[in-house]
Amino acid sequence: MQTKIILIVGASGVGKDTLIKESKKELKKEFNFIRRYITRKPDKNEKNFFLENSAFKLLKENEFFISSWEAHNNLYGISKDSIKNKTNIISISRSKIADFEKHFDKVYVINITLNDVELKRRLIKRGRENIKEIEKRLERKYDKIYARNLIVFQNDKSFDDSIKAFIDILKEIDEI
């Protein structure tokens, strides 16, 4: 088997962590679901490694991460040793796709999208930001995503239908 990378990207609140968490229930034996290192406390949908800023920076200086980034005043990283010789599922910043494409031949990117009305509702429900911060987030325009193999996944179906469709895409990629 050859190492395969499936990168999950998308704006905050579109459901990346929920899709990953739910798909892991069915696919955890066949796939490697990679945990990120982060400097904010994970919420209920995440299973990440929490680090203080100083510990994160020390790991980065010692080249522990294959990719790291900053978003919303928090640091995120993916460790080199977390990637296995199978299909790996990784939630990352869309700005870090190239980090993986330069190291691996088989990289697929799933961009999770959602309409602004539903996204606003989810961000309010999540409660990490006040309404002004949410409005500012919704006004952001994102650069075009550059990836060798890009799949857009519109996460606007019912919960069960979205999970099933997402799992189907992961299985299809695994078969390639």
Side-chain angles (χ1 to χ4, degrees), residues 13-139:
V14 296
K16 298 181 303 289
D17 292 321
T18 299
L19 289 168
I20 291 169
K21 177 182 155 190
E22 292 299 316
S23 63
K24 185 176 181 180
K25 291 175 184 177
E26 183 174 327
L27 303 173
K28 67 182 170 193
K29 290 182 179 159
E30 298 96 333
F31 292 78
N32 180 31
F33 289 82
I34 294 180
R35 294 167 64 182
R36 298 176 296 182
Y37 289 78
I38 62 175
T39 59
R40 73 164 164 74
K41 298 280 186 199
D43 69 24
K44 67 179 189 275
N45 286 320
E46 299 174 321
K47 292 283 189 201
N48 295 306
F49 298 109
F50 169 75
L51 294 172
E52 297 292 338
N53 279 25
S54 58
F56 188 99
K57 288 175 182 173
L58 184 62
L59 288 173
K60 184 176 178 179
E61 288 169 10
N62 286 287
E63 300 180 5
F64 179 75
F65 300 115
I66 189 167
S67 183
S68 63
W69 63 95
E70 183 175 344
H72 315 295
N73 299 315
N74 296 296
L75 301 172
Y76 296 79
I78 306 298
S79 70
K80 291 176 182 176
D81 67 354
S82 64
I83 297 174
K84 306 299 179 204
N85 189 25
K86 61 191 318 188
T87 300
N88 298 268
I89 311 293
I90 313 169
S91 176
I92 65 159
S93 166
R94 68 193 101 214
S95 68
K96 295 301 176 176
I97 294 168
D99 289 353
F100 294 89
E101 288 186 337
K102 96 176 142 185
H103 291 287
F104 301 98
D105 292 329
K106 295 192 174 199
V107 178
Y108 301 84
V109 178
I110 302 176
N111 180 29
I112 311 296
T113 62
L114 188 62
N115 67 67
D116 284 350
V117 172
E118 180 62 18
L119 180 55
K120 181 177 181 179
R121 187 189 71 72
R122 289 184 187 183
L123 290 170
I124 290 169
K125 183 179 177 187
R126 185 169 70 179
R128 277 193 209 154
E129 301 163 302
N130 65 42
I131 194 69
K132 280 189 176 190
E133 292 168 325
I134 290 171
E135 294 290 343
K136 187 175 179 183
R137 180 184 292 279
L138 291 172
E139 290 172 6

